[in-house]
């Protein structure tokens, strides 16, 4: 999975496969404080909060707990770093890009450390943290490093005697509130475009998973970003998070998390200073498998699509619609896959599924599983926790699911695959779109007309055809409807981090 | 040697040619001389590397960018070697080669590396029941002919843009200065570019160069050099296979100084603008128009500035001006200087050869230059500064534009109206206001009129290296 550089030796591709990386067994957590102005601070209140390893249920360490006063200090630092004439404002655009590239270099250097921390903090399998999360972080940083000096305005042929052009200026101080499912990756998705466009940041990582975000603070300092450009305040949503969304000196806020909290943030933004808002929220993503699909491919993609990261993905394929004719075979093969899925210690190289993030999520998932059983879905396998194993849940498959069941409507965020049946394309379009969510969708078919009809008909920010979770820095990502506002990644993210200024100069005589 | 498929080859003919140090007139070494047969081999390799399904065609765009960044890392690693080579081969001041040429090359590679995975097509709302989108595909095999004034930078300007868009290239460096281009071949191989993606064939214009411009299997030719040769290349392209053509040619760029300008700044910029790299720049500010009231003072200060020079071996610290590139240029410049004297311009300083070894020419300043003199019309490409007088805005706009060239121009003034009027009125691809030679990979660069076709650098440079394909798919029913 590590990227090959395409190098060819004597006409033959390089056949050597590099050995698998290994996690660091006794890793000491070095960074546990609040990061402001490139320095580490204790919380104003003196309070700390614990962070746990969901796999062992042991406390990893205590973290300084940020609240409104700490957010205020961070915002002051970010504002100062954004002043006209500051180092950051005066820096050449390609130099901003160079800093992002260097940050990527340091992530590459400390890749094993970061992957180990991420696994300790989230319970995700180490090899996935290494090959997927860290790979995405490095590539996204490099992608946006390339954009830094290509944030281009326009010259505009206006009427009458004027010379007119636009500047695409940075918005200013951006608040970023990041989730616990891909802590570092979701942070980089925000940090990279924000910095590339010249903004400064105040970040609040999820309270369950602050470790990698704080570690990246140390790298930001090492790379040489000026003080105040990136500030990181760990803490809780209702305190530190709310302080950010209501702050009068924050110009923009970006949030990834639940739809429920996303709405609160948007409301807070409107009530305070009309700060610009981008939101990446939940999903109940349809995965449509037509009878003419490559069945093996569809089964595997649907499986990974829902079970990846312990089911804790906003892109989870949590409504699998299978065309009637192939339904029994699809269910049979999916159950086989689910039964084979190796659940265990995320540091073990063979593990495919680790624990859920915390007790709250664990309980919620089990409750939804119970509702599935109660409401009449057919439990094909799994359906309960792995005994004596803390937060681990058996990969669960439900068939004969109908659209009105809770497991078909609510975001589960766990290793549970509901499989439903459909007859016609018109019907499945209607049913797939029949949700307030609209993040992603997938279609498995060999038929061109069907593929493109569905691509256009599905109300989702991303439509995958004959694949799943194909997410790359170049392609914009975001939700229709209540799955979000705005787009991350690609060129489109730049628009979310710039404020357009039009400059118009009067001339004594018109210039064509 | 000749670089094809990441390997080093002797020339098919067995011939070699000599490469010289213009400061000492001594031979540095011999280089394999490529001709049509070698170009054919190179084109075959480039074509194969461009085939559908090849490593290069199936490589992720981001990986292409990664390779360009890696190449930049290697250039950075070997910058001292490259700067020394550029200085010895090109007569360029070592400090300039190290601080400007190498820096610019590295920055350009990194700039284009960033574009690789941002070559984006569009979806298009066509009439009818269709789904339509565009692909911005690489053009194919690109022939690139590089000049001798900025051998490394010009090499990088060409390959960085071409490679970032996914093309394969056959490069012919100038016969005077092949060394850094060939060294780059070794770095390209080390960086990991697949074989055949970059091929380098040193040789002469009428042989290797013509073979490229007439080649039936080259999809595009990019040339930087004289307007005279540029016309030949475009003709060849038309006569052969209608290959796409971009040209960066000569200039006779006007530099307009108003009485309200910051005089010290204007004098300095005007000086560097014409004397940089011994005057061997396509953007040399070789017609300086000074507003009457400050004319005398401007001339006086310019002479003072020009007299401050130490000439010598460009490798030595403390030297401010090196040699011209070769005997042909040397003679041409001296001939134009003589014409200036003969046609009645006032020779203020310099005016002839310096020393008796190496192609050195004294920094020369002419005042009271009239527009019909040869030194005011022809590109000199040497350390010769022409200073003319003007009275009004309309007059100077007319005179500045009165040339078949149109590469760059500058205006020095504190007045906003004047600045923006000139920005619009001057027929030049780049207009500088209160500065000169401000060139950077982010900014599109190229000529109006006969200074060139097309643009290099910036986002615009990408257009020249992509071929747009529209894909239209019939669908049962369109919805917007």
């Amino acid at each position: 999975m590590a990227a090959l550089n395409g190098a060819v030796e004597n006409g033959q591709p390089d056949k050597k496969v590099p050995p698998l990386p290994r996690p660091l067994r006794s890793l000491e957590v070095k960074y546990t404080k609040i990061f402001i102005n490139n320095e580490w601070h204790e919380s104003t209140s003196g309070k700390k909060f614990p962070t746990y390893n969901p796999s062992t249920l042991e406390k990893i360490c205590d973290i300084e707990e940020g609240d409104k006063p700490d957010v205020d200090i961070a915002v002051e630092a970010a504002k100062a770093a954004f002043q006209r004439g500051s180092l950051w404002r005066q820096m050449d655009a390609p130099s901003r890009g160079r800093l992002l590239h260097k940050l990527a270099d340091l992530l590459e250097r400390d890749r094993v450390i970061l992957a180990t921390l991420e696994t300790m903090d989230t319970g995700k399998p180490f090899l996935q943290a290494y090959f997927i999360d860290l790979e995405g972080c490095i590539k996204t940083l490099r992608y946006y490093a390339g954009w830094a000096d290509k944030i281009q305005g326009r010259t505009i042929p206006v009427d009458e005697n004027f010379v007119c052009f636009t500047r695409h200026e940075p918005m200013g101080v951006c608040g970023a509130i990041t989730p616990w499912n891909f802590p570092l990756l979701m942070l980089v998705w925000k940090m990279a475009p924000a910095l590339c466009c010249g903004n400064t940041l105040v970040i609040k990582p999820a309270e369950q998973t602050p470790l990698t975000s704080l570690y990246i603070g140390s790298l930001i300092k090492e790379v040489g970003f000026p003080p105040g450009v990136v500030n990181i305040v760990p803490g809780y949503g209702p305190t530190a998070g709310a302080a950010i969304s209501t702050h009068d000196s924050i110009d923009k806020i970006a949030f990834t998390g639940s739809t429920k909290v996303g709405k609160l943030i948007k409301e807070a933004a409107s009530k305070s200073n009309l700060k610009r808002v981008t939101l990446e929220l939940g999903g109940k993503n349809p995965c449509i498998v037509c009878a003419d699909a490559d069945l093996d491919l569809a089964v595997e993609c649907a499986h990974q699509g829902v079970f990846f990261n312990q089911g804790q993905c906003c892109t989870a394929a949590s409504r699998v619609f299978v065309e009637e004719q192939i339904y029994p075979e699809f269910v049979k093969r999916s159950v086989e896959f689910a039964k084979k899925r190796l659940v265990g210690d995320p540091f073990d190289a063979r593990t495919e599924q680790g624990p859920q993030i915390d007790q709250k999520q664990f309980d919620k998932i089990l409750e939804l599983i119970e509702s599935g059983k109660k409401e009449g879905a057919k439990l094909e396998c799994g359906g309960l926790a792995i005994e004596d194993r803390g937060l681990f849940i058996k990969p669960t498959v439900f068939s004969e699911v109908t659209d009105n069941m809770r497991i078909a409507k609510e975001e589960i965020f766990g290793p549970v695959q509901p499989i439903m049946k459909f007859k016609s394309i018109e019907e499945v379009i209607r049913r797939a779109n029949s949700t307030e969510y609209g993040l992603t969708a997938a279609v498995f078919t060999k038929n061109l007309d069907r593929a493109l009809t569905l691509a256009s008909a599905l109300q989702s920010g991303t439509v995958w055809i004959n694949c799943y979770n194909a997410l790359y820095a170049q392609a914009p990502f975001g939700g229709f409807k209540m799955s979000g506002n705005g787009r991350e990644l690609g060129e489109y993210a730049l628009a979310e981090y710039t404020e357009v200024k039009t400059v118009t100069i009067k001339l004594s005589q018109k210039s064509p | 040697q000749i670089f094809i498929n990441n390997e080093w080859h002797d020339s098919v003919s067995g011939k070699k040619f000599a490469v010289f140090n213009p400061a000492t007139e001594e031979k540095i070494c011999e280089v394999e001389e490529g001709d049509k047969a070698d170009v054919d081999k190179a084109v075959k390799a480039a074509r194969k590397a461009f085939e559908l399904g090849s490593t290069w065609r199936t490589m992720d765009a981001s990986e292409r960018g990664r390779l360009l960044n890696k190449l930049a890392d290697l250039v950075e690693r070997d910058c001292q070697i490259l700067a020394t080579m550029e200085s010895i081969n090109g007569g360029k001041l070592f400090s300039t080669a190290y601080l400007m040429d190498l820096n610019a090359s590295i920055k350009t590679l990194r700039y284009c590396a960033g574009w690789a995975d941002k070559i984006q097509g569009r979806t298009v709302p066509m009439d009818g029941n269709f789904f339509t989108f565009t692909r911005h595909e690489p053009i194919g095999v690109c022939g690139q002919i590089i000049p001798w004034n900025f051998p490394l930078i010009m090499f990088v300007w060409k390959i960085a843009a071409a490679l970032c868009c996914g093309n394969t290239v056959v490069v012919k460096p100038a016969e005077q200065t092949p060394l850094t281009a060939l060294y780059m071949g070794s770095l390209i191989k080390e960086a990991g570019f697949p074989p055949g993606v970059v091929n380098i064939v040193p040789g002469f214009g009428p042989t290797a160069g013509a073979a490229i411009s007439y080649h039936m299997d080259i999809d595009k030719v990019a040339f930087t050099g004289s307007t005279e040769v540029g016309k030949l290349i475009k003709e060849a392209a038309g006569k052969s296979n209608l290959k796409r053509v971009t040209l960066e040619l000569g200039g006779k760029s006007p530099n307009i100084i108003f009485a309200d300008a910051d005089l010290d700044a204007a004098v300095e910029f005007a000086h560097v603008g014409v004397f940089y790299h011994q005057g061997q720049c396509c953007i040399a500010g070789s017609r300086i128009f000074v507003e009457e009231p400050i004319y005398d003072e401007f001339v006086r200060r310019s002479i003072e500035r020009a007299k401050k020079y130490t000439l010598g071996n460009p490798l030595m610290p403390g030297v401010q001006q090196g040699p011209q590139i070769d005997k042909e240029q040397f003679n041409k410049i001296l001939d134009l200087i003589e014409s200036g004297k003969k046609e009645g311009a006032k020779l203020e300083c310099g005016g002839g050869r310096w020393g008796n070894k190496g192609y050195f020419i004294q920094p020369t300043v002419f005042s009271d230059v009239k527009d019909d003199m040869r030194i005011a019309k022809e590109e000199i490409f040497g350390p010769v500064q022409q200073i003319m007088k003007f009275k009004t805005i309309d007059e100077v706009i007319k005179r500045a534009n009165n040339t078949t060239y149109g590469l760059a121009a500058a205006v020095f003034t504190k007045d906003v109206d004047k600045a923006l009027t000139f920005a619009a009125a001057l027929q030049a691809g780049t207009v500088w206001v209160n500065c000169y030679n401000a060139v950077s990979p982010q900014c599109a660069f190229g000529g109006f009129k006969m200074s060139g076709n097309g643009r290099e650098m910036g986002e615009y440079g990408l257009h020249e290296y992509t071929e747009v394909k529209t894909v239209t798919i019939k669908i049962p029913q369109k919805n917007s």
Side-chain angles (χ1 to χ4, degrees), chain B residues 52-68:
Chain B
L52 280 179
S54 72
T55 308
W56 186 238
R57 290 305 292 283
T58 52
M59 189 182 282
D60 284 340
S62 60
E63 194 50 38
R64 291 202 306 265
R66 194 87 188 87
L67 289 176
L68 283 168

Side-chain angles (χ1 to χ4, degrees), chain A residues 6 143 149 152 474 491, chain B residues 55 63 117-118 120 442 459:
Chain A
Y143 177 80
D149 58 359
Q152 300 177 143
Q474 300 84 18
E491 185 180 5
Chain B
T55 308
E63 194 50 38
D117 58 357
K118 302 167 184 73
Q120 299 178 144
Q442 298 82 19
E459 185 178 7

